[in-house]
Amino acid sequence: MESSDTLDVIASRIRAAWESGRVCSLVGRGCRARVVRIGRLVEAGRLDPALGLRLAREVEALAFCFAPLPPEPMP
């Protein structure tokens, strides 16, 4: 986490984490979607930008709490 974080940067880090296998892709996709939704709320003026950034940072932290699952066997 850096002081120059933006919602887009956080969403990109979450995506990179699931694509590289650092976090569960199921959780990572949901967390990224939440950050994108937070961004829409901020842009619409329905959520304070500082609160939006805090919520996005919480979501990023959550994403890193779930390790990836092993792949399912091929049929």
Side-chain angles (χ1 to χ4, degrees):
M1 177 175 63
E2 298 179 17
S3 61
S4 61
D5 282 349
T6 65
L7 298 176
D8 289 337
V9 168
I10 293 170
S12 293
R13 276 198 306 251
I14 293 170
R15 182 178 182 140
W18 98 61
E19 288 178 344
S20 67
R22 291 181 60 206
V23 303
C24 175
S25 62
L26 299 171
V27 175
R29 286 183 176 113
C31 288
R32 182 186 175 279
R34 183 175 171 93
V35 172
V36 169
R37 176 74 172 128
I38 289 168
R40 290 184 186 136
L41 291 169
V42 168
E43 288 176 8
R46 298 189 61 211
L47 191 62
D48 177 72
L51 177 58
L53 187 57
R54 184 178 66 83
L55 292 172
R57 287 176 172 156
E58 288 177 359
V59 171
E60 183 178 24
L62 174 73
F64 281 88
C65 290
F66 292 88
L69 297 172
E72 293 188 34
M74 299 294 281

PDB file of all heavy atoms in Angstrom, residues 2 8 11 14 17 19 23 25 29-30 35 39 42 49-50 57 59 61 66-67 72-74:
ATOM      1  N   GLU A   2       0.600   2.150  -0.901  1.00  0.00           N
ATOM      2  CA  GLU A   2       1.370   3.373  -1.017  1.00  0.00           C
ATOM      3  C   GLU A   2       0.449   4.570  -0.924  1.00  0.00           C
ATOM      4  O   GLU A   2      -0.752   4.471  -1.156  1.00  0.00           O
ATOM      5  CB  GLU A   2       2.099   3.392  -2.365  1.00  0.00           C
ATOM      6  CG  GLU A   2       3.092   2.258  -2.526  1.00  0.00           C
ATOM      7  CD  GLU A   2       3.769   2.293  -3.878  1.00  0.00           C
ATOM      8  OE1 GLU A   2       3.713   3.334  -4.546  1.00  0.00           O
ATOM      9  OE2 GLU A   2       4.346   1.281  -4.260  1.00  0.00           O
ATOM     10  N   ASP A   8      -7.926   2.611  -9.335  1.00  0.00           N
ATOM     11  CA  ASP A   8      -7.468   1.847 -10.505  1.00  0.00           C
ATOM     12  C   ASP A   8      -6.216   1.034 -10.196  1.00  0.00           C
ATOM     13  O   ASP A   8      -6.091  -0.113 -10.632  1.00  0.00           O
ATOM     14  CB  ASP A   8      -7.191   2.778 -11.685  1.00  0.00           C
ATOM     15  CG  ASP A   8      -8.459   3.362 -12.285  1.00  0.00           C
ATOM     16  OD1 ASP A   8      -9.542   2.766 -12.114  1.00  0.00           O
ATOM     17  OD2 ASP A   8      -8.369   4.422 -12.925  1.00  0.00           O
ATOM     18  N   ALA A  11      -7.265  -1.949  -8.035  1.00  0.00           N
ATOM     19  CA  ALA A  11      -7.950  -2.957  -8.853  1.00  0.00           C
ATOM     20  C   ALA A  11      -6.935  -3.725  -9.715  1.00  0.00           C
ATOM     21  O   ALA A  11      -7.032  -4.942  -9.857  1.00  0.00           O
ATOM     22  CB  ALA A  11      -9.005  -2.292  -9.731  1.00  0.00           C
ATOM     23  N   ILE A  14      -4.979  -6.250  -7.574  1.00  0.00           N
ATOM     24  CA  ILE A  14      -5.788  -7.434  -7.262  1.00  0.00           C
ATOM     25  C   ILE A  14      -5.835  -8.348  -8.475  1.00  0.00           C
ATOM     26  O   ILE A  14      -5.653  -9.560  -8.357  1.00  0.00           O
ATOM     27  CB  ILE A  14      -7.204  -7.023  -6.805  1.00  0.00           C
ATOM     28  CG1 ILE A  14      -7.145  -6.285  -5.463  1.00  0.00           C
ATOM     29  CG2 ILE A  14      -8.099  -8.256  -6.702  1.00  0.00           C
ATOM     30  CD1 ILE A  14      -8.458  -5.644  -5.045  1.00  0.00           C
ATOM     31  N   ALA A  17      -2.625 -10.150  -8.949  1.00  0.00           N
ATOM     32  CA  ALA A  17      -2.432 -11.184  -7.927  1.00  0.00           C
ATOM     33  C   ALA A  17      -3.165 -12.469  -8.290  1.00  0.00           C
ATOM     34  O   ALA A  17      -2.637 -13.559  -8.109  1.00  0.00           O
ATOM     35  CB  ALA A  17      -2.896 -10.671  -6.565  1.00  0.00           C
ATOM     36  N   GLU A  19      -4.134 -13.344 -11.379  1.00  0.00           N
ATOM     37  CA  GLU A  19      -3.572 -13.863 -12.632  1.00  0.00           C
ATOM     38  C   GLU A  19      -2.233 -14.556 -12.415  1.00  0.00           C
ATOM     39  O   GLU A  19      -1.891 -15.483 -13.143  1.00  0.00           O
ATOM     40  CB  GLU A  19      -3.437 -12.739 -13.654  1.00  0.00           C
ATOM     41  CG  GLU A  19      -4.768 -12.288 -14.213  1.00  0.00           C
ATOM     42  CD  GLU A  19      -4.657 -11.146 -15.200  1.00  0.00           C
ATOM     43  OE1 GLU A  19      -3.596 -10.485 -15.257  1.00  0.00           O
ATOM     44  OE2 GLU A  19      -5.647 -10.905 -15.911  1.00  0.00           O
ATOM     45  N   VAL A  23      -3.344 -15.192  -5.254  1.00  0.00           N
ATOM     46  CA  VAL A  23      -4.588 -15.232  -4.479  1.00  0.00           C
ATOM     47  C   VAL A  23      -5.611 -16.077  -5.224  1.00  0.00           C
ATOM     48  O   VAL A  23      -5.460 -16.347  -6.417  1.00  0.00           O
ATOM     49  CB  VAL A  23      -5.168 -13.813  -4.227  1.00  0.00           C
ATOM     50  CG1 VAL A  23      -4.174 -12.924  -3.515  1.00  0.00           C
ATOM     51  CG2 VAL A  23      -5.652 -13.170  -5.498  1.00  0.00           C
ATOM     52  N   SER A  25      -8.513 -16.982  -7.389  1.00  0.00           N
ATOM     53  CA  SER A  25      -9.101 -16.223  -8.499  1.00  0.00           C
ATOM     54  C   SER A  25     -10.568 -15.903  -8.252  1.00  0.00           C
ATOM     55  O   SER A  25     -11.058 -14.850  -8.665  1.00  0.00           O
ATOM     56  CB  SER A  25      -8.935 -16.983  -9.812  1.00  0.00           C
ATOM     57  OG  SER A  25      -9.612 -18.220  -9.763  1.00  0.00           O
ATOM     58  N   ARG A  29     -11.444 -11.989  -8.186  1.00  0.00           N
ATOM     59  CA  ARG A  29     -12.374 -11.382  -9.151  1.00  0.00           C
ATOM     60  C   ARG A  29     -13.481 -10.609  -8.442  1.00  0.00           C
ATOM     61  O   ARG A  29     -13.843  -9.507  -8.851  1.00  0.00           O
ATOM     62  CB  ARG A  29     -12.966 -12.456 -10.051  1.00  0.00           C
ATOM     63  CG  ARG A  29     -11.995 -12.969 -11.070  1.00  0.00           C
ATOM     64  CD  ARG A  29     -12.643 -13.997 -11.990  1.00  0.00           C
ATOM     65  NE  ARG A  29     -11.727 -14.401 -13.005  1.00  0.00           N
ATOM     66  CZ  ARG A  29     -11.209 -15.610 -13.102  1.00  0.00           C
ATOM     67  NH1 ARG A  29     -11.522 -16.549 -12.239  1.00  0.00           N
ATOM     68  NH2 ARG A  29     -10.365 -15.900 -14.068  1.00  0.00           N
ATOM     69  N   GLY A  30     -13.996 -11.189  -7.369  1.00  0.00           N
ATOM     70  CA  GLY A  30     -15.034 -10.502  -6.606  1.00  0.00           C
ATOM     71  C   GLY A  30     -14.517  -9.234  -5.949  1.00  0.00           C
ATOM     72  O   GLY A  30     -15.191  -8.203  -5.936  1.00  0.00           O
ATOM     73  N   VAL A  35     -13.997  -3.145  -5.950  1.00  0.00           N
ATOM     74  CA  VAL A  35     -13.223  -1.912  -6.102  1.00  0.00           C
ATOM     75  C   VAL A  35     -13.752  -1.102  -7.290  1.00  0.00           C
ATOM     76  O   VAL A  35     -13.891   0.121  -7.205  1.00  0.00           O
ATOM     77  CB  VAL A  35     -11.716  -2.202  -6.246  1.00  0.00           C
ATOM     78  CG1 VAL A  35     -10.944  -0.943  -6.594  1.00  0.00           C
ATOM     79  CG2 VAL A  35     -11.171  -2.825  -4.972  1.00  0.00           C
ATOM     80  N   GLY A  39     -15.391   2.642  -7.193  1.00  0.00           N
ATOM     81  CA  GLY A  39     -15.011   3.720  -8.101  1.00  0.00           C
ATOM     82  C   GLY A  39     -16.212   4.374  -8.755  1.00  0.00           C
ATOM     83  O   GLY A  39     -16.263   5.612  -8.891  1.00  0.00           O
ATOM     84  N   VAL A  42     -17.900   6.579  -6.185  1.00  0.00           N
ATOM     85  CA  VAL A  42     -17.136   7.812  -5.971  1.00  0.00           C
ATOM     86  C   VAL A  42     -17.376   8.778  -7.133  1.00  0.00           C
ATOM     87  O   VAL A  42     -17.646   9.964  -6.924  1.00  0.00           O
ATOM     88  CB  VAL A  42     -15.626   7.517  -5.793  1.00  0.00           C
ATOM     89  CG1 VAL A  42     -14.801   8.791  -5.858  1.00  0.00           C
ATOM     90  CG2 VAL A  42     -15.378   6.782  -4.481  1.00  0.00           C
ATOM     91  N   PRO A  49     -14.517  10.290  -1.695  1.00  0.00           N
ATOM     92  CA  PRO A  49     -13.293   9.688  -2.251  1.00  0.00           C
ATOM     93  C   PRO A  49     -12.362   9.088  -1.198  1.00  0.00           C
ATOM     94  O   PRO A  49     -11.795   8.014  -1.417  1.00  0.00           O
ATOM     95  CB  PRO A  49     -12.622  10.842  -2.984  1.00  0.00           C
ATOM     96  CG  PRO A  49     -13.738  11.762  -3.333  1.00  0.00           C
ATOM     97  CD  PRO A  49     -14.714  11.653  -2.192  1.00  0.00           C
ATOM     98  N   ALA A  50     -12.202   9.745  -0.052  1.00  0.00           N
ATOM     99  CA  ALA A  50     -11.320   9.205   0.989  1.00  0.00           C
ATOM    100  C   ALA A  50     -11.883   7.907   1.553  1.00  0.00           C
ATOM    101  O   ALA A  50     -11.146   6.946   1.794  1.00  0.00           O
ATOM    102  CB  ALA A  50     -11.127  10.229   2.105  1.00  0.00           C
ATOM    103  N   ARG A  57      -8.820  -0.282  -0.062  1.00  0.00           N
ATOM    104  CA  ARG A  57      -7.653  -0.868   0.603  1.00  0.00           C
ATOM    105  C   ARG A  57      -8.051  -2.054   1.470  1.00  0.00           C
ATOM    106  O   ARG A  57      -7.323  -3.048   1.560  1.00  0.00           O
ATOM    107  CB  ARG A  57      -6.938   0.197   1.431  1.00  0.00           C
ATOM    108  CG  ARG A  57      -6.177   1.182   0.579  1.00  0.00           C
ATOM    109  CD  ARG A  57      -5.564   2.285   1.397  1.00  0.00           C
ATOM    110  NE  ARG A  57      -4.684   3.114   0.583  1.00  0.00           N
ATOM    111  CZ  ARG A  57      -4.392   4.359   0.870  1.00  0.00           C
ATOM    112  NH1 ARG A  57      -4.885   4.935   1.953  1.00  0.00           N
ATOM    113  NH2 ARG A  57      -3.589   5.045   0.082  1.00  0.00           N
ATOM    114  N   VAL A  59     -10.574  -4.040   0.878  1.00  0.00           N
ATOM    115  CA  VAL A  59     -10.884  -5.113  -0.069  1.00  0.00           C
ATOM    116  C   VAL A  59      -9.602  -5.778  -0.561  1.00  0.00           C
ATOM    117  O   VAL A  59      -9.528  -7.005  -0.667  1.00  0.00           O
ATOM    118  CB  VAL A  59     -11.708  -4.574  -1.262  1.00  0.00           C
ATOM    119  CG1 VAL A  59     -11.845  -5.604  -2.354  1.00  0.00           C
ATOM    120  CG2 VAL A  59     -13.073  -4.110  -0.795  1.00  0.00           C
ATOM    121  N   ALA A  61      -6.765  -5.975   1.008  1.00  0.00           N
ATOM    122  CA  ALA A  61      -6.242  -6.786   2.111  1.00  0.00           C
ATOM    123  C   ALA A  61      -6.999  -8.106   2.208  1.00  0.00           C
ATOM    124  O   ALA A  61      -6.401  -9.168   2.410  1.00  0.00           O
ATOM    125  CB  ALA A  61      -6.330  -6.014   3.416  1.00  0.00           C
ATOM    126  N   PHE A  66      -6.858 -15.070   1.014  1.00  0.00           N
ATOM    127  CA  PHE A  66      -7.298 -16.345   0.457  1.00  0.00           C
ATOM    128  C   PHE A  66      -6.306 -16.855  -0.575  1.00  0.00           C
ATOM    129  O   PHE A  66      -6.150 -16.270  -1.649  1.00  0.00           O
ATOM    130  CB  PHE A  66      -8.675 -16.197  -0.199  1.00  0.00           C
ATOM    131  CG  PHE A  66      -9.771 -15.944   0.791  1.00  0.00           C
ATOM    132  CD1 PHE A  66     -10.096 -14.656   1.183  1.00  0.00           C
ATOM    133  CD2 PHE A  66     -10.462 -17.004   1.349  1.00  0.00           C
ATOM    134  CE1 PHE A  66     -11.096 -14.416   2.106  1.00  0.00           C
ATOM    135  CE2 PHE A  66     -11.463 -16.776   2.277  1.00  0.00           C
ATOM    136  CZ  PHE A  66     -11.786 -15.479   2.664  1.00  0.00           C
ATOM    137  N   ALA A  67      -5.655 -17.949  -0.240  1.00  0.00           N
ATOM    138  CA  ALA A  67      -4.717 -18.582  -1.172  1.00  0.00           C
ATOM    139  C   ALA A  67      -5.492 -19.259  -2.299  1.00  0.00           C
ATOM    140  O   ALA A  67      -6.669 -19.604  -2.135  1.00  0.00           O
ATOM    141  CB  ALA A  67      -3.873 -19.617  -0.436  1.00  0.00           C
ATOM    142  N   GLU A  72      -8.902 -28.006 -10.594  1.00  0.00           N
ATOM    143  CA  GLU A  72      -9.779 -29.172 -10.649  1.00  0.00           C
ATOM    144  C   GLU A  72      -9.200 -30.179 -11.645  1.00  0.00           C
ATOM    145  O   GLU A  72      -8.598 -29.789 -12.648  1.00  0.00           O
ATOM    146  CB  GLU A  72     -11.189 -28.750 -11.082  1.00  0.00           C
ATOM    147  CG  GLU A  72     -11.875 -27.890 -10.033  1.00  0.00           C
ATOM    148  CD  GLU A  72     -13.332 -27.649 -10.376  1.00  0.00           C
ATOM    149  OE1 GLU A  72     -13.977 -28.525 -10.953  1.00  0.00           O
ATOM    150  OE2 GLU A  72     -13.810 -26.564 -10.018  1.00  0.00           O
ATOM    151  N   PRO A  73      -9.412 -31.480 -11.374  1.00  0.00           N
ATOM    152  CA  PRO A  73      -8.882 -32.483 -12.303  1.00  0.00           C
ATOM    153  C   PRO A  73      -9.632 -32.425 -13.638  1.00  0.00           C
ATOM    154  O   PRO A  73     -10.803 -32.065 -13.691  1.00  0.00           O
ATOM    155  CB  PRO A  73      -9.141 -33.803 -11.581  1.00  0.00           C
ATOM    156  CG  PRO A  73     -10.163 -33.507 -10.547  1.00  0.00           C
ATOM    157  CD  PRO A  73     -10.083 -32.049 -10.238  1.00  0.00           C
ATOM    158  N   MET A  74      -8.922 -32.746 -14.677  1.00  0.00           N
ATOM    159  CA  MET A  74      -9.524 -32.786 -16.014  1.00  0.00           C
ATOM    160  C   MET A  74     -10.392 -34.025 -16.121  1.00  0.00           C
ATOM    161  O   MET A  74     -10.010 -35.100 -15.652  1.00  0.00           O
ATOM    162  CB  MET A  74      -8.431 -32.815 -17.081  1.00  0.00           C
ATOM    163  CG  MET A  74      -7.521 -31.597 -17.060  1.00  0.00           C
ATOM    164  SD  MET A  74      -8.357 -30.086 -17.490  1.00  0.00           S
ATOM    165  CE  MET A  74      -8.407 -30.258 -19.239  1.00  0.00           C
TER     166      MET A  74
END
